[in-house]
Amino acid sequence: MLHVIPAPTSIVDLMGQYIQTKKQEDLETFANYHRRLQRDLSGNSSCSDGGVGEESSMDVILTKEDLKMNKKKRKEFALSILALVDASLPLFLLYAEERDQFTKLMAQFAKEDDKQSDNDHQTPKRQPSHLYPAEYLLRLFVKIPYLLSEFDLKKNNPASILLADEKTQDFARFLSELIVFIQARVDECFAGNYQALEVDD
């Protein structure tokens, strides 16, 4: 059995849903935190102790800059995942029986894209992440340790290592977040649209 391609919900669609859902959750967390903080401050302001210790709690307030940075980092993570899918799917995310389907589909879509483009506007080429379902994202997750180990860090540059460590921590945090997001939507993400494998006589 082969997956029906293009999938009803592609990896790009899934990542878009993930970005929007987490953005909304961040906004709700931000609003709830500040409502709770205001409530605590107004309650303590009437106390006879003068609100001792409140200044230290102000240091951990989630700011709008924090929200913007989280949004930016999450978007960079999503784009990195999509780039990894597009680069690695034809290399090692396909089973043997899926390779012929991939070759034919990409050739077909390339012809369609060429017909749609004209001299004034170049239609973006459709990538695997726009066509394939979430199952291939799971296959990528299994390969991520190998892919990360292939990056050549400049060991003699401490600043480069620190930057890489920070990005690795962000990547791990968002990857964990994405896995939880997918787990909560298993039925939606893995609809199981298949077609029979054509066997040559």
Side-chain angles (χ1 to χ4, degrees), residues 4 7 22 28-29 34 40 48 69 74 77 81-82 84 102 108-109 118 121 123 141 145 158 160 167 174 176 188 190:
V4 174
K22 301 313 290 186
E28 290 173 2
T29 300
H34 282 277
D40 292 346
S48 59
M69 182 57 67
R74 191 177 283 119
F77 163 77
I81 288 291
L82 295 177
L84 283 171
F102 172 81
Q108 172 190 335
F109 289 130
D118 54 40
H121 177 70
T123 303
F141 291 165
S160 175
K167 287 193 173 184
F174 290 129
S176 175
E188 177 185 344
F190 307 106

Side-chain angles (χ1 to χ4, degrees), residues 15-48:
M15 295 304 292
Q17 293 168 12
Y18 158 71
I19 291 289
Q20 288 301 315
T21 299
K22 301 313 290 186
K23 176 184 175 182
Q24 186 62 36
E25 288 179 6
D26 282 354
L27 289 171
E28 290 173 2
T29 300
F30 176 82
N32 290 337
Y33 179 81
H34 282 277
R35 277 196 295 268
R36 189 166 57 250
L37 184 65
Q38 280 187 333
R39 190 167 57 246
D40 292 346
L41 289 175
S42 63
N44 287 334
S45 64
S46 62
C47 294
S48 59

Side-chain angles (χ1 to χ4, degrees), residues 53-166:
E54 286 303 316
E55 185 176 350
S56 62
S57 69
M58 298 291 284
D59 296 335
V60 295
I61 289 179
L62 185 64
T63 66
K64 290 184 179 180
E65 286 72 25
D66 293 327
L67 283 174
K68 290 178 182 177
M69 182 57 67
N70 214 35
K71 177 182 176 182
K72 178 183 177 183
K73 287 183 176 181
R74 191 177 283 119
K75 183 176 180 181
E76 288 174 351
F77 163 77
L79 292 174
S80 297
I81 288 291
L82 295 177
L84 283 171
V85 169
D86 292 335
S88 61
L89 188 138
L91 297 177
F92 47 73
L93 298 186
L94 296 172
Y95 298 143
E97 60 272 17
E98 296 172 327
R99 294 189 175 280
D100 187 51
Q101 179 196 39
F102 172 81
T103 302
K104 290 178 180 178
L105 284 171
M106 296 312 291
Q108 172 190 335
F109 289 130
K111 289 180 182 178
E112 293 176 5
D113 291 343
D114 288 342
K115 290 179 181 178
Q116 292 177 2
S117 64
D118 54 40
N119 294 331
D120 297 327
H121 177 70
Q122 181 66 36
T123 303
K125 180 182 177 183
R126 278 177 282 191
Q127 298 292 335
S129 57
H130 289 80
L131 305 170
Y132 280 78
E135 283 86 346
Y136 294 82
L137 197 55
L138 296 185
R139 296 183 194 180
L140 174 68
F141 291 165
V142 175
K143 299 286 186 180
I144 281 178
Y146 165 77
L147 293 172
L148 292 178
S149 70
E150 291 298 299
F151 283 101
D152 183 20
L153 297 178
K154 298 178 181 178
K155 296 182 180 179
N156 296 326
N157 186 342
S160 175
I161 293 174
L162 179 63
L163 182 61
D165 287 346
E166 181 183 347

